[in-house]
Amino acid sequence: MSSYTTVHGRACAEIEEKKSRFIANVAHVETEEEALAFLEEIRTEHRMARHNVYAYVLREGGAGSLGRVRYSDDGEPQKTAGLPTLEVIQHAGLTDIAVVVTRYFGGILLGTGGLVRAYTQATQAGISASEQVVVSQCVDIKVRTQYSNYEPLMRLAQETGAKVMGTAYDDAVTLTLRMLDGTQQSFLTQLTELERGKEQVSVSDPIEAEF
């Protein structure tokens, strides 16, 4: 699996264009069901709004999905709302994401160019407000070591690109480290040298995780 960029949790941002309010809600979703449930939640919350435009992009092979890209203008003129929203998502290089832009009409017509600009800016604002994360295929490595080897082990972890996920102290130190899958061999080889073949180590199966 190659790494991909998505958003963490949810975010919201609002812009105003000629008295129309455009509210962009952004969410991390992994399936079409989650995307549609998020859309329905926003529609319910803003049921008095004139339009709830949406777009979502799901990663190929993600959590039961074969990869999906969908958008809707929700009553706005064709290609003035849903498509600009989708294009902002794609330009940002994001996947496993849903964006719903709610419009409360302010009484002034914006024209097609004005609509495209407003939905684009609202989506950009929503994505800017979100926390973006990179998800990669990783392994977790649990190492139990003597206190005398703790500092050398921490240096080794830093040098080989491992992240410390947890530390437990009793009569020895147990470290849980996360590394990109495929990079762990150098660490394990040097760990054997450090521990002189007495290392207590376990390596997880590959997992998808923020890294």
Side-chain angles (χ1 to χ4, degrees), residues 122-190:
T123 306
Q124 288 170 337
I127 288 175
S128 293
S130 69
E131 178 189 353
Q132 296 186 26
V133 294
V134 177
V135 178
S136 305
Q137 186 152 297
C138 302
V139 290
D140 283 350
I141 300 175
K142 189 168 284 189
V143 182
R144 186 168 174 81
T145 190
Q146 300 304 308
Y147 280 90
S148 58
N149 278 343
Y150 174 70
E151 286 190 13
L153 181 55
M154 289 295 288
R155 282 197 299 273
L156 175 59
Q158 185 175 12
E159 289 167 2
T160 53
K163 289 184 180 179
V164 178
M165 305 303 292
T167 310
Y169 304 95
D170 43 42
D171 57 333
V173 184
T174 302
L175 281 174
T176 301
L177 306 171
R178 180 165 291 168
M179 305 187 72
L180 292 174
D181 186 28
T183 68
Q184 65 267 35
Q185 195 53 55
S186 173
F187 171 81
L188 294 171
T189 299
Q190 293 180 71

Side-chain angles (χ1 to χ4, degrees), residues 14-209:
E14 180 177 338
I15 70 164
E16 186 173 313
E17 182 74 21
K18 294 183 179 177
K19 298 187 178 179
S20 280
R21 293 171 60 209
F22 293 84
I23 305 165
N25 278 279
V26 179
H28 174 77
V29 293
E30 296 183 0
T31 65
E32 196 155 27
E33 289 76 16
E34 288 180 9
L36 295 174
F38 175 64
L39 168 61
E40 199 54 44
E41 178 186 329
I42 301 302
R43 276 179 174 159
T44 300
E45 181 183 344
H46 294 287
R47 55 186 173 273
M48 301 304 291
R50 179 72 67 92
H51 306 281
N52 284 289
V53 166
Y54 72 86
Y56 59 84
V57 177
L58 298 173
R59 179 174 58 91
E60 186 168 293
S65 167
L66 297 177
R68 291 276 185 183
V69 175
R70 293 285 185 273
Y71 67 88
S72 168
D73 295 308
D74 194 35
E76 294 281 32
Q78 191 174 7
K79 297 184 178 178
T80 64
L83 187 58
T85 299
L86 174 63
E87 287 175 342
V88 172
I89 295 171
Q90 293 175 325
H91 182 71
L94 298 170
T95 190
D96 282 358
I97 178 177
V99 178
V100 183
V101 182
T102 301
R103 180 190 182 189
Y104 285 93
F105 185 54
I108 301 172
L109 296 174
L110 301 184
T112 55
L115 286 171
V116 169
R117 185 168 59 252
Y119 280 103
T120 296
Q121 290 176 349
T123 306
Q124 288 170 337
I127 288 175
S128 293
S130 69
E131 178 189 353
Q132 296 186 26
V133 294
V134 177
V135 178
S136 305
Q137 186 152 297
C138 302
V139 290
D140 283 350
I141 300 175
K142 189 168 284 189
V143 182
R144 186 168 174 81
T145 190
Q146 300 304 308
Y147 280 90
S148 58
N149 278 343
Y150 174 70
E151 286 190 13
L153 181 55
M154 289 295 288
R155 282 197 299 273
L156 175 59
Q158 185 175 12
E159 289 167 2
T160 53
K163 289 184 180 179
V164 178
M165 305 303 292
T167 310
Y169 304 95
D170 43 42
D171 57 333
V173 184
T174 302
L175 281 174
T176 301
L177 306 171
R178 180 165 291 168
M179 305 187 72
L180 292 174
D181 186 28
T183 68
Q184 65 267 35
Q185 195 53 55
S186 173
F187 171 81
L188 294 171
T189 299
Q190 293 180 71
L191 176 65
T192 298
E193 294 173 4
L194 176 66
E195 297 282 341
R196 297 179 182 176
K198 298 179 181 179
E199 68 273 11
Q200 299 178 53
V201 60
S202 63
V203 182
S204 74
D205 290 332
I207 57 172
E208 289 186 5

